[in-house]
Amino acid sequence: MNAQTPVSRAKLNPITVEVIGSAFASTVEEMGEALVRASYSTNIKERRDCSTALFDALGRMLCQAEHIPMHLGSFIGFIPYILRQFPADSIQPGDIFMGNDAYEGGGTHLPDIVLAEPIFHDGALIAWAINTAHHSDFADRGHDHIYQEGLRIPPVRLYRAGVLQEDIQRLFLLNCQVPSERISDLRAQIAANRLGAIRMAELCVKYGLADVLAAGEELMDYADRKMRAGIRAIPDGVYAFSDVFDSESLDKPLDFSVRITIAGDEATLDFDSPPQVRAGLNVVYTALLATVYYAMKTVVDPTILPNAGLARAITVNAEEGTILRCAHPAAVDGRITACQRVVDLIHGAFAQVIPDRVVAACNGSVHVASFNGTRPDGALWVYLETIGGGFGARHNKDGLDGVHVHMTNTSNLPVEALENEYPITLRRYELVDGSGGDGEFVGGMGLRRVYRAERACRVQVMGARLSTAAWGLAGGQSGGSGYFTLNGVKSGFERHSVDMQPGDVLEIVTPGAGGYGDPARRPADRRATDLRERRRV
């Protein structure tokens, strides 16, 4: 069946456009809630590590829910790949495409499984419902190259015209360590897309297909105009910034830099980073794009609609084969940590010209702990957690404590959920005293989580800002660094992995964020509160 192409259109009433745009937004949010509520694994049902969106028939995003900014990188290449690889007349109602690969299909790392369902109206393909969810599997892996990181899946049909392709499902589940979780989470993803397809069909019945398609075009044009207006308000010029990137997987910190050129209503961002590394820190181009679009939206105008139009005025350059635009077969599992640093680079560059729209450096990391072991009945278990840290101070506000920042936007797993499902006891869960950078406005504090193994297991840890610190702005001071210890000792991790025996204790401390402004200007009453709350020690 042929995809519906854009039609020439009369300009719609702005109220109609707004109503249909709100329907797109409510649809993707409803899809997200359905996915979270129907899922099985703690990483989705508790930490909400998933995202949902609607795309038009040409592979352009109509709307993304306010979930995980990083997941845009898994969306913007997926539908275009399908449209290139599968003849339009072979795509049918009831098809469900599944994939995850970073090089063949638009994914950004293998645990993020993407499902997409075509949406039809009167026999024509008019849109796509799409979602991704981080499946806590593929644990205890190497990260020298992508073939070590899990099962690579190009977009393939999991369902064909409503019929499950059982051989594809069996192949996927056989490569998973916890297949009972995977099948349950996949079914939740299928249900979320089905809901999105139903809502789009209802919208077409109510307003007519022509008006719904025209509204999508108008909304993308509106996002483009808003982005261009915001860029035009920034003085023309070239703004550069450099930072260092460190990780437990690197022998020494590496230099990252960005040069942002503002010319009229367009922005060009040129990134420089070292050659890709034999570690899971590399970033595919779609992940870099998602990071840039997020950062530009937050700085230029946070009210810009989250659709394909916001990208038209932005050009992103990075040399292929480098960490920030890697090439096959680079490992990419921990790409989110490098992407966090990209946001800091962009904020650091814009601090020179629009300092009141940016924040001091946030924790700049995604501290990860991935546990796996065997239950008494012989079944495998995998528990993944990413842990928040400090959020950077702003020109008029303190930073937030112990939160996920920028590209992650997940939650910290509640203690009750952790201890109810896994043989682990959380002994301490607290803010790290004095870890936020001092300033007129102080940076957010990092977190400490201390785990005791109740059964033998293996854990992999990943993180950044271990030997460096999140920088402050306008005289604000740097935040505290992060670290990992096993039984009180920082060493003992072999390639960021370690075996834990019953009673062993793993401590994870995440970085604090930078402060903003001269510390001498902080009012005395706030200083008293800082001491009482142990922001300063």
Side-chain angles (χ1 to χ4, degrees):
M1 306 222 176
N2 293 324
Q4 176 70 48
T5 57
V7 295
S8 58
R9 63 188 192 277
K11 191 173 181 65
L12 288 179
N13 183 307
I15 295 175
T16 302
V17 175
E18 179 71 16
V19 170
I20 293 175
S22 296
F24 291 161
S26 66
T27 294
V28 295
E29 293 293 343
E30 188 179 9
M31 289 167 62
E33 289 305 309
L35 174 51
V36 168
R37 292 176 181 232
S39 61
Y40 186 84
S41 65
T42 56
N43 197 49
I44 303 173
K45 72 181 179 184
E46 297 285 354
R47 298 189 59 252
R48 304 176 71 90
D49 195 348
C50 57
S51 293
T52 54
L54 291 171
F55 276 63
D56 73 3
L58 300 180
R60 300 173 300 176
M61 187 170 71
L62 292 170
C63 190
Q64 181 184 8
E66 294 183 356
H67 293 154
I68 314 296
M70 184 76 261
H71 287 162
L72 174 60
S74 295
F75 292 155
I76 56 180
F78 196 84
I79 303 301
Y81 182 94
I82 294 172
L83 296 176
R84 289 193 304 270
Q85 296 297 318
F86 295 85
D89 58 5
S90 73
I91 300 173
Q92 307 172 69
D95 284 354
I96 297 176
F97 292 86
M98 169 186 178
N100 70 348
D101 191 60
Y103 300 106
E104 292 292 331
T108 64
H109 77 161
L110 301 186
D112 284 348
I113 307 296
V114 183
L115 263 64
E117 178 176 345
I119 302 172
F120 288 81
H121 182 78
D122 290 340
L125 173 60
I126 62 162
W128 293 82
I130 187 169
N131 68 65
T132 188
H134 184 121
H135 288 250
S136 298
D137 217 293
F138 304 155
D140 193 19
R141 300 281 178 151
H143 299 286
D144 286 341
H145 48 72
I146 196 169
Y147 294 99
Q148 294 181 348
E149 294 190 310
L151 178 66
R152 299 178 61 193
I153 311 169
V156 295
R157 284 185 179 91
L158 180 62
Y159 279 75
R160 186 185 295 269
V163 179
L164 172 65
Q165 305 303 289
E166 295 188 7
D167 51 350
I168 297 292
Q169 181 172 283
R170 284 199 304 272
L171 175 62
F172 171 66
L173 295 177
L174 183 62
N175 282 274
C176 296
Q177 289 160 274
V178 192
S180 60
E181 282 190 1
R182 301 291 70 75
I183 186 62
S184 299
D185 288 343
L186 278 178
R187 288 168 177 164
Q189 290 183 258
I190 292 168
N193 279 346
R194 185 90 292 276
L195 178 61
I198 291 171
R199 293 290 180 262
M200 279 294 289
E202 292 171 345
L203 201 60
C204 290
V205 170
K206 185 173 183 178
Y207 292 98
L209 175 61
D211 281 0
V212 171
L213 295 179
E217 297 287 341
E218 293 281 356
L219 292 163
M220 286 186 275
D221 290 346
Y222 180 57
D224 178 40
R225 293 195 301 273
K226 290 264 285 183
M227 178 61 77
R228 291 184 184 276
I231 293 173
R232 198 161 42 241
I234 302 171
D236 284 0
V238 178
Y239 308 101
F241 191 80
S242 298
D243 201 356
V244 291
F245 177 62
D246 67 301
S247 166
E248 84 298 321
S249 299
L250 298 173
D251 295 331
K252 62 180 181 179
L254 303 176
D255 295 325
F256 285 3
S257 65
V258 68
R259 187 175 68 258
I260 304 176
T261 303
I262 301 297
D265 63 358
E266 295 187 347
T268 300
L269 295 89
D270 295 288
F271 290 92
D272 186 46
S273 62
Q276 61 195 44
V277 293
R278 288 178 67 86
L281 303 171
N282 305 290
V283 178
V284 294
Y285 187 55
T286 56
L288 177 61
L289 290 178
T291 306
V292 170
Y293 297 157
Y294 159 81
M296 289 293 292
K297 183 177 185 291
T298 62
V299 171
V300 172
D301 183 352
T303 68
I304 296 173
L305 296 176
N307 65 42
L310 67 81
R312 295 174 184 168
I314 301 170
T315 301
V316 182
N317 300 315
E319 185 178 351
E320 191 169 2
T322 59
I323 292 177
L324 294 182
R325 188 176 182 177
C326 65
H328 176 270
V332 295
D333 187 67
R335 85 283 185 239
I336 188 77
T337 295
C339 290
Q340 297 284 53
R341 198 57 48 84
V342 168
V343 179
D344 284 345
L345 287 174
I346 294 171
H347 281 206
F350 277 129
Q352 304 165 41
V353 63
I354 44 174
D356 59 336
R357 296 197 207 170
V358 302
V359 298
C362 294
N363 64 75
S365 176
V366 180
H367 268 44
V368 178
S370 179
F371 299 82
N372 66 95
T374 305
R375 299 188 186 277
D377 63 0
L380 299 177
W381 60 273
V382 176
Y383 160 54
L384 170 81
E385 181 170 15
T386 62
I387 307 168
F391 188 92
R394 292 147 283 182
H395 75 285
N396 59 354
K397 291 182 181 180
D398 293 340
L400 301 175
D401 301 322
V403 295
H404 286 259
V405 303
H406 295 321
M407 301 306 294
T408 54
N409 199 37
T410 53
S411 66
N412 302 313
L413 187 68
V415 178
E416 297 82 359
L418 165 60
E419 296 183 349
N420 183 55
E421 299 205 28
Y422 305 104
I424 299 171
T425 299
L426 196 62
R427 297 182 62 185
R428 296 176 71 178
Y429 178 24
E430 61 193 11
L431 298 172
V432 179
D433 294 340
S435 59
D438 203 2
E440 181 179 5
F441 299 98
V442 298
M445 292 188 283
L447 283 173
R448 174 180 287 108
R449 281 171 78 95
V450 180
Y451 309 82
R452 184 180 66 209
E454 304 302 339
R455 288 180 57 85
C457 62
R458 186 167 177 81
V459 61
Q460 272 189 331
V461 295
M462 299 178 68
R465 290 293 190 202
L466 305 174
S467 61
T468 65
W471 38 265
L473 282 176
Q477 297 181 2
S478 299
S481 299
Y483 60 84
F484 305 94
T485 70
L486 181 67
N487 297 325
V489 179
K490 289 187 179 180
S491 62
F493 295 90
E494 180 182 357
R495 294 178 64 80
H496 57 82
S497 296
V498 67
D499 290 313
M500 297 181 68
Q501 300 302 318
D504 283 348
V505 174
L506 172 70
E507 177 189 26
I508 298 180
V509 170
T510 66
Y516 199 116
D518 184 353
R521 298 182 60 182
R522 189 162 179 81
D525 60 334
R526 292 193 176 184
R527 280 285 175 228
T529 300
D530 292 343
L531 292 173
R532 185 170 62 252
E533 296 180 350
R534 301 188 65 81
R535 284 184 172 273
R536 304 268 66 80
V537 292

